[in-house]
Amino acid sequence: MKNYPAEMLNYHFWASQTILGRIKELPPAVLHQEVNSSYPTLAHALNHIYAVDKMWYLVLTGMEMGAALQECMPLSGRILETVDEYMQLFAELANQYKEWLGNGLDTEQVITLNNPYAGVRETSLAEIMLHAANHGSYHRGNVSTMLRQLGYASTMTDYALYWYLQPVSAAL
């Protein structure tokens, strides 16, 4: 049986690299060009996606959510200079997720999540994985809108496109 939460994470990291690839095709200054949107620049939006991905990775691997948030908060403000740096950062984190998933863990395992903003609840690792993928999709939409506001076309990162571009054996 297919591990759909892992498949969604695989899609998420593919989609992030795909949109980063599109940004790389544009003039380098676009990454830091100000826009009136959810984030002041594409770099700020990418930092947010990465910081949240990293925070959830830390939670999935056993860190308490409050501590993971504290560790990752500074990442949101760390602006990198080039798209290549973002591509490398996202690829390294994707590899960490893949290694974690390769350990054969039970993604239906339930943990107590103590979210400082929302409270305590029981949740499965699978739910967190699906949330991380969904969060990335939401903010890639912000990035696409920002690109259009800057006068550039975005690129398609739909899950349905991912089906056709990825070999069946590429799952995490």
Side-chain angles (χ1 to χ4, degrees), residues 130-142:
L130 291 170
H131 170 71
N134 187 58
H135 176 266
S137 292
Y138 175 79
H139 287 297
R140 280 188 300 277
N142 294 144

Side-chain angles (χ1 to χ4, degrees), residues 8 10 17 32 55 59 63-64 85 99 126 133 137 141 150 154:
M8 290 307 297
N10 200 33
Q17 288 297 333
H32 302 286
M55 187 274 306
V59 170
M63 187 178 283
E64 195 274 325
E85 290 175 286
E99 185 177 318
S137 292
L150 292 167
S154 186

Side-chain angles (χ1 to χ4, degrees), residues 37-158:
S37 190
S38 302
Y39 296 92
T41 68
L42 293 169
H44 285 86
L46 296 170
N47 283 350
H48 174 74
I49 296 168
Y50 175 79
V52 171
D53 283 354
K54 181 69 173 185
M55 187 274 306
W56 284 120
Y57 171 77
L58 294 174
V59 170
L60 287 166
T61 57
M63 187 178 283
E64 195 274 325
M65 186 173 181
L69 279 167
Q70 288 302 311
E71 184 168 322
C72 294
M73 286 276 190
L75 299 175
S76 284
R78 185 181 71 179
I79 306 298
L80 302 179
E81 292 300 314
T82 68
V83 176
D84 286 332
E85 290 175 286
Y86 283 104
M87 293 178 94
Q88 181 176 344
L89 199 63
F90 276 84
E92 289 169 0
L93 185 56
N95 287 334
Q96 290 174 335
Y97 269 92
K98 288 177 185 180
E99 185 177 318
W100 172 74
L101 283 164
N103 290 331
L105 57 106
D106 176 13
T107 59
E108 293 305 316
Q109 175 189 344
V110 174
I111 64 168
T112 300
L113 186 66
N114 186 359
N115 184 326
Y117 303 108
V120 178
R121 80 179 295 270
E122 300 294 309
T123 189
S124 68
L125 299 179
E127 285 180 313
I128 293 170
M129 295 161 64
L130 291 170
H131 170 71
N134 187 58
H135 176 266
S137 292
Y138 175 79
H139 287 297
R140 280 188 300 277
N142 294 144
V143 169
S144 289
T145 297
M146 294 167 76
L147 285 170
R148 287 185 182 94
Q149 288 175 334
L150 292 167
Y152 299 99
S154 186
T155 189
M156 189 172 160
T157 58
D158 287 353

